[in-house]
Amino acid sequence: MGGLVIVGAGECGVRAAFALREAGFDGPVTLIGDEPHLPYERPPLSKTFPTAPKHIAGEDAYAAARIDLVRGRRVSAIDRAKKRIAFAEGGDLAYERLLIATGSRASLFPGMEKARTLRTLSDAETTLGSLAPGKKLVIVGGGFIGLELAATARKLGADVTVIEAAPRLMARVVPTEIASVAEARHRAEGVAFILGTQVRTVTETSIMLADGHVIEADQVIAGVGALPNTELAAAAGLAIENGILVDGCFRTSDPDIFAAGDCCNFPYREARTRLESWRAAQDHGKHAARAILGGEDAYQRVPWFWSDQYDLTLQVAGLPDPAAASIRRDLGDGAFILFQLAPDGSLLSASGIGVENAVAKDIRLAEMMIEKGINPEPAKLADPTVNLKSLLRG
Ligand code: FAD
């Protein structure tokens, strides 16, 4: 096999590059990223500041694995007939097989174009670097990133107001009971909330709400979701549908081109989904690498997310259904997990909140139950004296 080329040197692309070597591939591997930095982890960007970048791998590791890491260059086109990619800066490169791992970017609603966003190391340096006691920060969006940013900004002493269009926080990702615990903690830490309110326009230093009310700020940051970077794939004629459409082996509509991580839309439990998840990006990268080398098994990992806000950690396994009822399991010291069952009685999701690692073990067991398709008895799920390990055995 000739050269394997990966576009996008984020979590997914880097893991795929190393996984190709771990799977025994000996030919050329080129990993191309448009950011100037050594590839780094994004999750710490909203959680701690100041902090040194957490590199996914040290510079020596790329050399040792003979991965040709190309930094600061943007791939601008894919010529599928000639099997070559072109660089925006000039030049091109042949590929035998290509992995698109271009990730996602922060999205902005019309009127919000002047708001800052937090996606890259450079964004974090600009945004968080200017926060200090007394500075006024307005965050648009009460999802994971907006709330992590709120907690970090409070630690830096800034005055923080979060504006959210939905009537409650984290509506897309966790059940109401969990969002309420997080909201109470943010309020206790001094964060102000304006919920159920749309934003009309944003300038660098002010925000106008739908009712015309204006709030002045030193900085306005939007955390209102992300859009998959699909333009390169779309221009090459690959199938797109809320992400680059792939099968269970991360193959696109072109058998020599794969796509994985935040940018792809993949099959999950008889449906399709697109995730913005650190662990999924890693797992996708490793799975896609094996598929590029001929692996045929379909990806089946259960989605798993986490968020850190102050000393609280939220963890979610599976994909919660906002309309489904929950079964609550209390773990002590205010920590609890909400389980949801699918119509066939199998475990659908588990969402937990608690201080530091309080929910980690049980969420891990719930994830394994979801993976195995276990139908747990609701009363046992609710009873903290019943070890979840016993339910895992079915
Ligand atoms: P990315 O990390 O976005 O990497 C894609 C790379 O490709 C980027 O460097 C991009 O610049 C580059 N690229 C794009 N187009 C081109 C091109 N044409 N040519 C060359 N390079 C290109 N997830 C969690 O599960 N838990 C968390 O707590 C969490 N916290 C987060 C906090 C922040 C602030 C952010 C931004 C994300 C967080 N995430 C979290 C999400 C997680 O980081 C992402 O899901 C993960 O980084 C996705 O990896 P990826 O490789 O698919 O994409």
Side-chain angles (χ1 to χ4, degrees), residues 6-14 32-35 40-47 56 73-77 101-105 118-120 144-145 148 229 232 260-263 275-282 304-308:
I6 300 168
V7 185
E11 196 69 46
C12 177
V14 171
I32 304 158
D34 58 359
E35 294 186 66
Y40 57 90
E41 309 273 10
R42 288 183 207 283
L45 299 182
S46 47
K47 297 173 181 68
I56 301 173
R73 293 192 76 186
R74 186 165 185 78
V75 175
S76 55
T102 45
S104 55
R105 60 181 180 277
L118 178 57
R119 181 80 204 167
T120 64
F144 278 172
I145 289 187
E148 289 178 358
N229 291 323
L232 189 62
D262 278 18
C263 68
L275 299 177
E276 287 146 26
S277 151
W278 173 83
R279 199 188 70 185
Q282 290 191 355
W304 175 84
F305 310 87
W306 93 98
S307 174
D308 295 331

Side-chain angles (χ1 to χ4, degrees), residues 14-252:
V14 171
R15 302 291 174 180
F18 283 99
L20 287 168
R21 289 290 181 237
E22 279 149 27
F25 178 68
D26 202 36
V29 174
T30 309
L31 174 62
I32 304 158
D34 58 359
E35 294 186 66
H37 320 281
L38 192 62
Y40 57 90
E41 309 273 10
R42 288 183 207 283
L45 299 182
S46 47
K47 297 173 181 68
T48 43
F49 191 86
T51 179
K54 190 171 175 212
H55 294 129
I56 301 173
E59 200 150 14
D60 299 351
Y62 295 91
R66 290 177 297 115
I67 294 165
D68 184 11
L69 174 62
V70 179
R71 294 198 236 166
R73 293 192 76 186
R74 186 165 185 78
V75 175
S76 55
I78 303 168
D79 184 333
R80 288 167 53 197
K82 293 190 181 140
K83 293 182 77 169
R84 298 189 80 82
I85 51 162
F87 292 97
E89 299 78 12
D92 67 352
L93 180 72
Y95 66 84
E96 172 92 23
R97 287 199 162 166
L98 183 70
L99 172 64
I100 304 176
T102 45
S104 55
R105 60 181 180 277
S107 65
L108 288 171
F109 301 134
M112 269 190 205
E113 293 80 359
K114 296 228 164 86
R116 286 189 176 162
T117 54
L118 178 57
R119 181 80 204 167
T120 64
L121 191 56
S122 315
D123 293 340
E125 281 158 2
T126 320
T127 304
L128 295 164
S130 62
L131 292 177
K135 292 275 183 193
K136 267 192 97 174
L137 172 67
V138 172
I139 298 169
V140 186
F144 278 172
I145 289 187
L147 293 175
E148 289 178 358
L149 187 56
T152 305
R154 285 300 299 138
K155 281 185 231 157
L156 294 170
D159 290 342
V160 180
T161 302
V162 175
I163 300 168
E164 166 58 50
R168 65 141 172 124
L169 302 175
M170 298 181 283
R172 280 191 313 137
V173 277
V174 293
T176 310
E177 271 178 84
I178 289 187
S180 303
V181 173
E183 182 182 334
R185 177 61 185 276
H186 279 280
R187 287 190 189 275
E189 296 281 351
V191 175
F193 287 101
I194 302 175
L195 303 178
T197 302
Q198 304 267 356
V199 167
R200 194 188 292 171
T201 50
V202 171
T203 72
E204 278 96 358
T205 55
S206 74
I207 185 157
M208 185 190 279
L209 303 179
D211 63 4
H213 182 69
V214 174
I215 303 171
E216 304 291 340
D218 292 295
Q219 236 188 104
V220 179
I221 304 183
V224 293
L227 289 173
N229 291 323
T230 56
E231 291 74 8
L232 189 62
L238 300 176
I240 310 287
E241 196 184 295
N242 178 29
I244 305 168
L245 217 56
V246 294
D247 66 10
C249 293
F250 298 100
R251 271 184 298 247
T252 67

Side-chain angles (χ1 to χ4, degrees), residues 254-270:
D254 179 327
D256 291 323
I257 304 183
F258 295 70
D262 278 18
C263 68
C264 83
N265 178 322
F266 65 101
Y268 177 67
R269 302 191 140 207
E270 282 100 49

